[in-house]
Amino acid sequence: MQSFTLQRPSGLAEAARLGAEGGEFIAGGTDMLQLMKEWVRTPDRLVDLDPVLDPRIEAGPQGLRIGAGARMEAVAVHPEVARIAPAISEALLESASPQVRNLATMGGNLLQRTRCGYFRDAGVAACNKRRPGSGCAAIGGENRIHAVLGTSGQCIATHPSDFAVALVALEATLHLAGPDGERDMPIHHLYRTWDTHPEQETNLRPGEIIAAIQVPATALSRNARYLKVRDRAAFEWALLSAAVGLEIDGGTVRAARVAMGGVGTKPWRMRAVEAALIGKPANDDSYAAAAAHATEGAVARGENAYKITLMPRVLARALALAGGAA
């Protein structure tokens, strides 16, 4: 790890200014420090957000407000989070280890970098996400964990956050603070899809900071569930995951929100699946028929072809779980 300067701002406004001037943000540090130790990131200046981020978790009639400085574990076990949006609790408890969850922040979780082994190995020359224009070693290499949706000839890396998948399904909003002031952004606008610039992962402006996450309280959120498939039972990233919220009335699906993780270059909203569910009976046949739309546009790259087979099965199971909670 190379030497660096650690800057401690007095508030979010100063932190945003320092970020716009080229400083890189750190809070819990569970991802950044790994990347620095592996020489994937070599910042000259780190801006410490930990003292200035809001750690509060607030619940009200309109829903949840989760400060970006809240720790993953605190959010996961909060009774109001489990009541208003159980998919969030489930996604977080399926993430990392208790030790990491006690340190990692919610804002940092949304901005963690891909677990692609080629990205995280500084000795691999071909990684467009780490070295733009160098190529993508994963396309013709070991790509079992890689994406089948949103990919291009430039990059096939998956997005790693379980929490982000749940937020996309729940239509959460981010409150941002930047050098030019504050603004709100729907979570699905945070992440970019790319053709030529996979190193540009988000739509945050220079110096902009995630300050809080807002999750609306709805019938969908209260019935939402999170299902994760992985290689081992603990401290493992998703091969596939699904966050599903259903509103069922009189045995019929009236509304649906569906997102999947582990299959896309960002948390992937399944709008065709949602449309196929509306007005259908809330039963296993309807869930299976709708889940078949999940693979539309998916492209396999050799070792990850199994994901296309598993996607409808995992999603149908998640829909059944959410339907049973309704």
Side-chain angles (χ1 to χ4, degrees), residues 21 75-76 97 110 161 168 174 183 198 324:
E21 293 172 353
V75 177
S97 66
L110 296 178
S161 173
V168 167
L174 305 178
R183 64 176 179 134

Side-chain angles (χ1 to χ4, degrees), residues 184-234:
D184 289 335
M185 173 188 284
I187 180 68
H188 65 272
H189 287 167
L190 175 62
Y191 303 110
R192 294 188 181 189
T193 52
W194 55 73
D195 292 320
T196 57
H197 291 285
E199 78 281 5
Q200 298 175 6
E201 297 179 340
T202 77
N203 288 307
L204 294 177
R205 298 167 184 165
E208 215 160 31
I209 299 164
I210 298 175
I213 301 121
Q214 297 168 314
V215 183
T218 64
L220 284 166
S221 70
R222 288 189 295 272
N223 295 330
R225 300 296 301 275
Y226 187 79
L227 179 64
K228 180 174 180 177
V229 175
R230 49 190 173 177
D231 282 329
R232 59 186 180 186

Side-chain angles (χ1 to χ4, degrees), residues 30-108:
T30 54
D31 192 34
M32 174 63 85
L33 289 177
Q34 288 183 22
L35 294 170
M36 292 173 68
K37 290 176 181 178
E38 294 161 353
W39 292 89
V40 175
R41 303 286 293 276
T42 55
D44 295 320
R45 292 187 294 124
L46 288 178
V47 180
D48 185 7
L49 295 181
D50 204 32
V52 299
L53 287 177
D54 184 358
R56 291 174 296 175
I57 305 164
E58 301 173 311
Q62 301 305 312
L64 297 170
R65 183 188 183 280
I66 302 170
R71 267 37 186 187
M72 289 174 63
E73 184 71 10
V75 177
V77 302
H78 197 286
E80 286 300 290
V81 175
R83 181 182 68 85
I84 293 172
I88 290 178
S89 292
E90 292 172 348
L92 291 172
L93 290 172
E94 294 285 316
S95 300
S97 66
Q99 294 89 343
V100 171
R101 294 198 301 267
N102 277 319
L103 184 60
T105 64
M106 303 312 301

Side-chain angles (χ1 to χ4, degrees), residues 288-301:
H293 292 278
T295 60
E296 293 175 3
V299 177
R301 302 278 184 169

